Amino acid sequence: MSDTLTIIQPDDWHIHLRDDAMLHTAVPATARVFSRAIAMPNLQPPVVTPADAKAYYERIQGATPAESNFTPLMTLYLTDNTTPEMVREAAAGGLVKACKLYPANATTNSAHGVTDLAGLDATFEAMAEVGLLLLVHGEVTADEIDVFDREKAFIDQHLSNIVAKFPQLKVVFEHITTKDAAEFVFASDANVAATVTPQHLMYNRNHLLVGGIKPHNYCLPVLKRNIHQQALQEAVASGSNKFFLGTDSAPHLKHTKESACGCAGCYSAPAALELYAEIFEQIGALDKLEAFASFNGPDFYGLPRNTGTVTLVRDPWQIPDTVDVAGEPMVPFYAGNTLQWKVK
């Protein structure tokens, strides 16, 4: 059993970097390991225009350590008012690589999300024409649909139709959580792929609910039963190029998670690659980590693979209980637990 693992430098294809003090915490944690990251646009107010994306790009650059080679890849937040002209302008500018679909009120800062998917047909057509990817938070928000069933309902009610109607549109089904989603991605053509988070590979809903509610394990889409966790593990262990690294790392201060209405999100950036190495080794798929982390994402996005490398060493260490954000504590994912791998 080797005690070192060197891979091509990875990218994070789904991350929340936030703004202000949180931005200055999250960006260095991400730039520590990743060369590029798809920056989510659900700020307050959201990133809805190419000008918004350029301004946010500059703020991220301002929070990036001088010695880092980190490059943020920008996204637009789709609303009912996103036009084909906005899409074409964004693509021409070069900074924006994708547009993010949040069904209205599906997750944190999604109140401005889409209420009428059919109204975006012309926008989706333009995205396919100019090569911008559609990134999907795949959950319905109808009150009558059980929270554990919302991902499958989205596939049945919406995603199947989008994929069939726009076969040239590249679609990333983000942070998949169910056997149904994994099977949908496997069965779809080459223009459909998915990101998988460390929390959905490592945990199931027992880790959220057994022995008391664990607010720092609460994310959306919510953790599912163990048969779905196993399906995700099998998907990444298969070596399929349809699955790649997207942490959905989502920083929230401790008091906002431990409240009467705790917010959704797991902050995994401080140990992201190490968390993936931990679970990939546990499921006997450590040899598949490099493609998952470093090859499949850029290949799907049509971007060059990185050329630098990152080395992990077997060196047990404990994730700290909290991370400081301008004097306020934030609890990282897997806090207080020991990982076997550490980035050298």
Side-chain angles (χ1 to χ4, degrees):
M1 184 168 59
S2 175
D3 289 332
T4 64
L5 176 66
T6 297
I7 65 172
I8 293 294
Q9 188 173 14
D11 305 298
D12 189 339
W13 297 97
H14 181 158
I15 196 165
H16 298 269
L17 297 171
R18 308 300 190 208
D19 233 329
D20 302 321
M22 197 73 84
L23 183 75
H24 287 267
T25 298
V27 170
T30 301
R32 174 187 72 98
V33 169
F34 296 107
S35 177
R36 296 168 291 200
I38 284 281
M40 289 294 105
N42 59 331
L43 306 180
Q44 291 180 312
V47 177
V48 296
T49 69
D52 294 337
K54 185 175 187 296
Y56 189 34
Y57 174 86
E58 291 170 353
R59 296 199 299 277
I60 296 170
Q61 290 288 76
T64 301
E67 68 277 8
S68 170
N69 67 350
F70 177 69
T71 301
L73 306 176
M74 308 312 294
T75 58
L76 293 188
Y77 184 117
L78 288 174
T79 73
D80 292 335
N81 300 313
T82 305
T83 65
E85 291 71 29
M86 292 164 67
V87 165
R88 294 189 181 97
E89 180 187 349
L95 289 179
V96 174
K97 304 301 181 187
C99 297
K100 179 64 182 272
L101 171 61
Y102 290 106
N105 301 309
T107 188
T108 304
N109 296 346
S110 61
H112 299 277
V114 174
T115 64
D116 177 22
L117 274 171
L120 288 181
D121 280 5
T123 298
F124 290 155
E125 287 176 3
M127 288 170 60
E129 288 170 12
V130 299
L132 289 190
L133 282 71
L134 175 63
L135 314 183
V136 177
H137 180 112
E139 291 189 287
V140 299
T141 57
D143 290 341
E144 67 271 17
I145 305 297
D146 188 282
V147 70
F148 292 103
D149 298 331
R150 291 182 174 188
E151 186 171 88
K152 184 179 187 306
F154 187 88
I155 296 169
D156 296 342
Q157 296 176 22
H158 302 296
L159 191 56
S160 296
N161 295 333
I162 292 171
V163 168
K165 198 170 187 178
F166 306 99
Q168 302 308 311
L169 179 64
K170 282 192 166 183
V171 177
V172 181
F173 196 173
E174 296 200 304
H175 47 46
I176 62 169
T177 66
T178 58
K179 185 172 185 285
D180 311 276
E183 290 173 348
F184 177 83
V185 173
F186 272 123
S188 298
D189 69 17
N191 276 348
V192 178
T195 56
V196 190
T197 75
Q199 63 264 28
H200 291 108
L201 287 170
M202 298 179 79
Y203 282 174
N204 58 62
R205 64 190 187 182
N206 280 358
H207 297 91
L208 175 65
L209 299 171
V210 170
I213 295 172
K214 314 294 192 305
H216 298 286
N217 293 341
Y218 174 58
C219 56
L220 287 172
V222 71
L223 295 166
K224 304 299 195 296
R225 63 169 68 241
N226 59 354
I227 59 169
H228 297 295
Q229 177 195 14
Q230 182 179 346
L232 299 187
Q233 292 176 354
E234 291 171 353
V236 300
S238 74
S240 168
N241 64 0
K242 283 175 157 281
F243 302 92
F244 44 89
L245 188 155
T247 61
D248 192 23
S249 179
H252 295 280
L253 294 176
K254 184 174 187 284
H255 73 86
T256 65
K257 295 284 289 181
E258 299 175 4
S259 69
C261 187
C263 48
C266 298
Y267 180 56
S268 56
L273 188 59
E274 293 94 334
L275 288 161
Y276 283 110
E278 185 88 5
I279 187 61
F280 271 67
E281 183 170 50
Q282 288 176 14
I283 64 176
L286 202 53
D287 62 322
K288 305 295 197 305
L289 179 62
E290 184 176 41
F292 175 83
S294 310
F295 299 159
N296 299 346
D299 291 355
F300 190 78
Y301 271 76
L303 297 172
R305 296 177 179 181
N306 299 317
T307 55
T309 60
V310 169
T311 297
L312 291 146
V313 295
R314 195 181 298 279
D315 181 14
W317 64 290
Q318 189 177 71
I319 295 181
D321 291 332
T322 60
V323 172
D324 181 77
V325 182
E328 293 274 2
M330 176 165 61
V331 179
F333 178 68
Y334 216 56
N337 289 292
T338 297
L339 292 172
Q340 300 304 309
W341 291 95
K342 189 171 190 178
V343 172
K344 188 174 179 180

